Amino acid sequence: MALLIQNGTVVTAESTTLADVLIDGTTIREVRSGIPPQGHEIVDATGLLVLPGGVDAHTHLDMPFGGTYSSDDFETGTRAAAIGGTTTIVDFAIQSRGTKMRTALDTWWGKAEGKACIDYGLHMIVTDLGSSGFEDMDSMVSEGVASFKLFMAYPGVLMVDDATIFRALRQTAKNGALVCMHAENGSVIDVLVQQALAEGKTAPIYHALTRPTVAEAEAVQRAIAMAEMAGAPVYIVHLSSEDALNQVREARDRGLPAFAETCPQYLLLSIEDQMPGKSFEDAKYVFTPPLREKKNQQKLWDGLKHDHLQVVSTDHCPFCFADQKALGKDDFTKIPNGGPGIENRMQLIYHHGVNAGRLTLNRFVEITASAPARIFGMYPQKGTIAPGSDADVVLWGPSAEHTISAATHHMRVDYSMFEGFKVRGNARQVYSRGELIVDRGEFLARPGRGQYLRRTPRGGAWK
Ligand SMILES: [Zn+2]
């Protein structure tokens, strides 16, 4: 029996319409008003928005970092995502130096096996192109890994040199994959970090103060220049500052296929508000790039509105405050970098974007679902409500009130970056491939039901 969602307001990146949605099995069969109800199971969506499930293109579940692992695994992390209205994630497999990317892919498939509650894709973090790196990249693309991430920061750990970045970009110009850049000048930052430590500046705030926005902007500019020389598109991850945004905007104004995402923490949190520099509590906000001065926030919102920024992801990478962040009690460089957010992205962007009048409803859908699906080669299977698309559908209560708190969230972490934030608008029912997986905050499905997504290179966001 097919499922008929009646009387809701269907919102896509392009349109807002009163329409019925007919779900047949795992996919959407029809979207129009007046679909005859006979023989279908009826869901009444009166007063609700019918949205495509959210797509979070940047998560780190069960990720090794500095001798520990991010505290959410594929089960707890994807369950929390689903409860918040996200039905697709793209996580990162990490190639270890001197090993094949295939080994990392197998490792991350293993992490997701039996655990993923929603569909997931994988990016591959490249740390070493070695002798067979190009074949390795091509073989990843044939496995549906349509994007690679390279680091211009974290020297000695993940950072690669410009030659490696340029070679990888040239390879993607041929195989159609997309390079994602962590853009910060890691060499300069390392000098500033060593100087701070030598001066006895070990508190968490120095993590932020040793990573200037110019170090981000310079790397963004260099990444885009290398992509231009390679004839390849490039995607800047977790862009955090006005200085960096200016580089992306200028490139896009010149017609280059440069893309960038930002994250809720950069839109809503700041050094002034979250890191007063008085206690180790600041470690809750140690992630990279760091929090910025408040004046950057409105610039990022403007960037989203005007399509200088295309996507909001979370960079979800939780570490418990009590026993993981504490590793850096006497040295900020030993604080695991990352913060939790996978559950709250849709609520926060809806409330502070749509309710606040900064974003239209359609733009909200675009930056949280359609654009990441398109850029990362999953569209129109994911990211929209249309005949033939996967039935990943969120029934969204636009007036539902919710207070974000670690006491009630579903992420496996002992604090919230958004503790006490009040939002209006929340996921009420969540369907993934036609299956009701969340009903009013309760997760109903079986872990392991989530499927690996084979993504298509040249996702269609650039010509
Ligand atoms: Zn990340």
Side-chain angles (χ1 to χ4, degrees):
M1 192 163 60
L3 191 73
L4 182 63
I5 300 172
Q6 279 188 322
N7 308 319
T9 301
V10 177
V11 186
T12 66
E14 295 81 25
S15 65
T16 306
T17 45
L18 275 171
D20 301 337
V21 177
L22 185 63
I23 295 173
D24 192 3
T26 61
T27 57
I28 294 168
R29 192 205 292 173
E30 223 180 331
V31 183
R32 65 176 173 92
S33 58
I35 297 176
Q38 289 79 11
H40 303 317
E41 184 186 339
I42 305 295
V43 175
D44 182 18
T46 302
L48 301 177
L49 304 179
V50 184
L51 310 176
V55 177
D56 188 345
H58 190 153
T59 67
H60 300 281
L61 303 175
D62 199 3
M63 187 197 80
F65 190 98
T68 186
Y69 285 83
S70 57
S71 59
D72 268 321
D73 63 13
F74 271 80
E75 181 172 337
T76 62
T78 57
R79 186 165 57 213
I83 289 169
T86 289
T87 52
T88 299
I89 61 164
V90 190
D91 206 89
F92 292 85
I94 308 176
Q95 177 204 23
S96 298
R97 287 225 162 100
T99 68
K100 291 267 194 200
M101 296 175 201
R102 156 69 53 181
T103 308
L105 185 60
D106 287 341
T107 300
W108 260 262
W109 276 342
K111 287 172 186 281
E113 173 92 50
K115 290 190 170 178
C117 300
I118 55 174
D119 294 348
Y120 69 99
L122 290 169
H123 310 280
M124 180 62 63
I125 292 176
V126 177
T127 57
D128 179 8
L129 279 179
S131 56
S132 63
F134 297 137
E135 293 156 36
D136 229 10
M137 286 178 76
D138 291 350
S139 79
M140 289 299 99
V141 173
S142 68
E143 292 286 9
V145 179
S147 44
F148 299 89
K149 182 183 184 187
L150 289 92
F151 283 78
M152 302 169 93
Y154 300 122
V157 189
L158 295 165
M159 189 168 117
V160 289
D161 61 13
D162 287 354
T164 301
I165 293 168
F166 185 59
R167 286 194 187 107
L169 282 161
R170 282 214 294 206
Q171 197 64 15
T172 62
K174 289 183 217 158
N175 67 26
L178 179 62
V179 165
C180 304
M181 293 298 315
H182 178 126
E184 282 186 301
N185 188 318
S187 303
V188 166
I189 287 167
D190 204 35
V191 172
L192 297 174
V193 167
Q194 295 313 320
Q195 184 188 339
L197 290 178
E199 291 170 357
K201 296 169 174 170
T202 58
I205 182 67
Y206 291 103
H207 171 80
L209 300 183
T210 53
R211 310 185 86 89
T213 56
V214 180
E216 184 184 24
E218 183 278 328
V220 167
Q221 194 274 335
R222 183 157 36 105
I224 293 172
M226 286 190 280
E228 184 178 6
M229 288 185 276
V234 67
Y235 179 95
I236 309 297
V237 294
H238 50 45
L239 188 140
S240 68
S241 66
E242 179 188 8
D243 287 342
L245 175 61
N246 288 340
Q247 300 299 330
V248 175
R249 191 187 59 239
E250 282 170 25
R252 291 178 61 82
D253 284 350
R254 286 201 290 126
L256 293 176
F259 305 92
E261 67 180 16
T262 189
C263 313
Q265 52 271 36
Y266 304 118
L267 292 161
L268 297 167
L269 309 179
S270 65
I271 289 185
E272 293 95 318
D273 289 345
Q274 271 70 38
M275 301 187 90
K278 296 205 169 69
S279 77
F280 190 69
E281 292 279 314
D282 293 7
K284 292 175 177 174
Y285 306 95
V286 167
F287 40 75
T288 309
L291 282 183
R292 304 301 192 182
E293 289 176 72
K294 210 168 180 152
K295 63 181 182 187
N296 290 278
Q297 293 173 356
Q298 189 55 44
K299 302 292 180 185
L300 297 176
W301 282 110
D302 291 344
L304 284 170
K305 180 175 178 177
H306 299 296
D307 202 37
H308 306 138
L309 296 169
Q310 290 70 47
V311 172
V312 175
S313 304
T314 59
D315 196 9
H316 176 77
C317 189
F319 295 100
C320 289
F321 182 69
D323 57 341
Q324 293 185 297
K325 291 286 186 179
L327 293 169
K329 210 137 190 69
D330 304 312
D331 176 351
F332 72 86
T333 65
K334 300 208 163 50
I335 300 169
N337 282 199
I342 201 168
E343 184 170 349
N344 305 121
R345 181 182 65 126
M346 304 289 279
Q347 299 157 351
L348 289 166
I349 302 305
Y350 184 86
H351 183 75
H352 292 278
V354 178
N355 290 348
R358 289 166 165 142
L359 302 172
T360 65
L361 208 42
N362 308 101
R363 185 63 181 156
F364 164 73
V365 168
E366 184 157 33
I367 64 179
T368 57
S370 314
R374 203 179 284 122
I375 289 171
F376 290 106
M378 300 176 277
Y379 192 89
Q381 182 187 355
K382 304 294 189 189
T384 194
I385 296 199
S389 293
D390 282 358
D392 291 4
V393 176
V394 176
L395 303 188
W396 185 267
S399 53
E401 311 253 352
H402 179 67
T403 302
I404 295 171
S405 172
T408 51
H409 73 199
H410 302 83
M411 300 177 286
R412 189 162 66 190
V413 61
D414 60 358
Y415 74 98
S416 171
M417 293 201 290
F418 305 97
E419 185 68 38
F421 274 53
K422 290 181 168 44
V423 290
R424 196 175 73 247
N426 205 356
R428 185 170 154 127
Q429 275 92 18
V430 180
Y431 295 84
S432 166
R433 278 180 282 103
E435 180 182 355
L436 179 66
I437 61 169
V438 174
D439 189 11
R440 292 178 176 82
E442 194 188 341
F443 186 74
L444 305 173
R446 175 183 58 83
R449 63 169 295 286
Q451 294 177 357
Y452 173 68
L453 288 163
R454 288 181 180 273
R455 297 180 294 118
T456 315
R458 293 191 182 82
W462 57 93
K463 291 287 172 276

